[in-house]
Amino acid sequence: MRPLPRPLFLALATVIAAAPAASAPSAGPPTQVWIDVATHHMAGMPDLGPLGGMASRMMGGGAQQAHYGQTRMPMMTGQYLDIALYNRPNPGKQAEQRIPAGLRLGASLPLVPPVRTPAPPERRGEYAPPEGQARLLVYWGCGSTVRPGQPKIISINASGGKVEVSGSMQGRYAPDRDIEADPAYALWPNPKSGKRVPDGASLQGAHRITGPGIPESLAFELKQVADFMPKIDLQSTGSLADGQTWRWTPVDRAQAYFLHAVGTQGKDVVLWSSADVPDAGQGIFDYLTGSLIERWTKEKVLLPRTATQCAIPKGIFAGPGEAGREGGGGLLSIIAYGPESHIAWPPRPSDPKQPWNPEWNVRVRTKSTGSAMLGMDLSRMQEMEDDSEAQPQEQKKPLRSLLKGLIGG
């Protein structure tokens, strides 16, 4: 894996610093369960056996081991599950979640409090922001040609430990509703139980959580709406110089879609999104509530659930020798926003004037994400893989060697 080019590192570090800080989860019922469900897929990367495991380890996924938080950021292809329990009357105690057989992880999952690790000693005078200058060229909208008024240019200058930004960096961000777990929570996966969710496994069926101080009533059933979404079948045609079109098969239960790409053009960093408005970026690449999906779809920040393709304007990510410009390639990401479910006991009364004090609440969020290298013709990659599967084992080595080189092996 090659390190990020210096301009890209500087620019992205500044963008990340501008994002809203994490917030603590709001108050709710005495016992709360958060279940995040994600399907990740790296397009153009077939099952490589041991090589696929090596690629997963290089990108932080681990060959067979899962860890809490993997649903949040796209990883190697697979199904990922995070569970967090907070029991206010008796926090920080191990619990057990009985699971349906379709999940294929045994009869139950242990929910274990994380161990608080001491903060590293503070080091004074040893860190300074990376110095230098960079420009962000921001494009937006699906289509083969650059729209009038683009790109928006943001200049960044870091010198003497200070960062100056000229140009608007206003953006949209998904509300931070993640759990910043501390020892008061109980989590899965954890060091005691971190087996990867098998492909094709399902959450549908009966679940029950038991443990010290856990309400006896904490039993619930998950239906298809809360299950793993299908992977995004992403395909591409065209070139970066002439315009590249990305297509996908409609994803079951998808509420909306969003694409984002980042790359370099000489010393400049290029950002592009599928939004029809200029202030959408990587910050909305996360779980969203149904009301926010509906609002941002109407505002044309998100592509509607009926969308099946989007083109990147020609030339903005052109590689060396293409359109007479120097390029550094980049990465495309796509997300299919899925439904969010809430289950509480006792259920909310039909009469809004009647008092309601639930014992517990379960929130389930779903999404499917995909990623691909810009400029890769996935239709050709699929043809190469199909041809490879039809060949004897010894003739499959060229394709595997190519992919091994792409992931840095």
Side-chain angles (χ1 to χ4, degrees):
M1 301 286 288
R2 294 181 297 174
L4 287 176
R6 184 176 182 82
L8 182 57
F9 175 83
L10 174 63
L12 291 185
T14 306
V15 171
I16 291 171
S23 59
S26 58
T31 304
Q32 299 183 65
V33 182
W34 294 268
I35 301 177
D36 284 347
V37 183
T39 303
H40 300 317
H41 179 58
M42 179 171 285
M45 288 295 195
D47 181 7
L48 304 179
L51 181 58
M54 180 185 71
S56 180
R57 288 191 295 273
M58 291 175 62
M59 299 190 69
Q64 296 296 330
Q65 195 74 10
H67 58 80
Y68 185 83
Q70 285 183 316
T71 61
R72 301 180 186 180
M73 295 296 292
M75 303 290 293
M76 296 294 289
T77 296
Q79 296 182 162
Y80 294 87
L81 174 68
D82 286 332
I83 304 172
L85 164 72
Y86 179 70
N87 186 34
R88 191 181 306 141
N90 196 15
K93 298 296 189 296
Q94 181 169 331
E96 181 180 70
Q97 180 166 337
R98 302 285 295 181
I99 56 175
L103 192 52
R104 293 157 54 188
L105 290 174
S108 64
L109 299 175
L111 308 182
V112 179
V115 177
R116 188 188 298 275
T117 56
E122 184 178 358
R123 298 181 177 180
R124 299 180 180 272
E126 294 187 13
Y127 172 78
E131 296 197 358
Q133 296 179 339
R135 293 196 315 167
L136 271 66
L137 308 183
V138 183
Y139 298 85
W140 58 93
C142 299
S144 60
T145 58
V146 175
R147 300 183 182 187
Q150 298 188 29
K152 175 190 290 186
I153 300 177
I154 301 171
S155 299
I156 302 170
N157 182 35
S159 178
K162 297 181 179 180
V163 177
E164 295 181 356
V165 179
S166 62
S168 173
M169 292 196 66
Q170 181 181 4
R172 299 177 190 238
Y173 295 94
D176 182 19
R177 301 181 300 138
D178 291 334
I179 302 305
E180 301 300 329
D182 58 36
Y185 291 81
L187 312 176
W188 189 93
N190 53 65
K192 294 184 179 180
S193 173
K195 186 178 179 181
R196 287 275 303 274
V197 176
D199 290 342
S202 172
L203 283 163
Q204 295 185 59
H207 296 250
R208 183 181 184 88
I209 298 179
T210 58
I214 301 294
E216 292 288 337
S217 60
L218 214 175
F220 54 95
E221 181 177 356
L222 295 184
K223 302 184 182 299
Q224 185 185 25
V225 69
D227 205 358
F228 295 99
M229 297 174 67
K231 72 177 183 180
I232 301 177
D233 182 14
L234 195 61
Q235 298 292 329
S236 66
T237 55
S239 68
L240 294 180
D242 298 326
Q244 189 168 32
T245 298
W246 296 84
R247 296 179 175 86
W248 58 92
T249 303
V251 178
D252 183 38
R253 286 169 277 138
Q255 310 295 295
Y257 299 93
F258 180 72
L259 289 80
H260 186 272
V262 57
T264 58
Q265 193 63 261
K267 295 182 179 180
D268 296 330
V269 177
V270 180
L271 302 176
W272 169 86
S273 80
S274 58
D276 260 0
V277 293
D279 61 340
Q282 189 76 18
I284 68 174
F285 208 84
D286 200 355
Y287 296 99
L288 295 179
T289 63
S291 60
L292 198 51
I293 291 173
E294 183 178 0
R295 190 179 95 199
W296 281 355
T297 302
K298 288 181 179 178
E299 294 174 359
K300 296 187 177 181
V301 176
L302 308 180
L303 299 177
R305 67 179 70 191
T306 55
T308 57
Q309 67 178 42
C310 180
I312 296 179
K314 61 183 179 181
I316 66 172
F317 290 108
E322 294 181 312
R325 306 172 70 180
E326 178 188 356
L331 182 71
L332 175 92
S333 301
I334 179 173
I335 182 169
Y337 300 98
E340 180 173 311
S341 304
H342 288 264
I343 307 170
W345 183 264
R348 183 188 294 271
S350 56
D351 183 359
K353 296 182 180 180
Q354 185 176 343
W356 182 50
N357 298 297
E359 294 181 1
W360 52 264
N361 180 78
V362 176
R363 183 194 72 183
V364 186
R365 305 188 296 183
T366 62
K367 67 179 179 182
S368 182
T369 72
S371 59
M373 287 179 286
L374 287 173
M376 177 184 291
D377 189 333
L378 295 180
S379 62
R380 292 294 305 275
M381 289 292 295
Q382 185 62 51
E383 291 173 6
M384 292 170 65
E385 181 63 12
D386 292 343
D387 292 343
S388 175
E389 292 302 320
Q391 295 172 354
Q393 184 68 29
E394 62 272 10
Q395 295 183 24
K396 298 180 183 180
K397 293 180 180 179
L399 175 59
R400 296 177 183 269
S401 298
L402 170 64
L403 294 172
K404 185 176 181 180
L406 290 174
I407 63 175

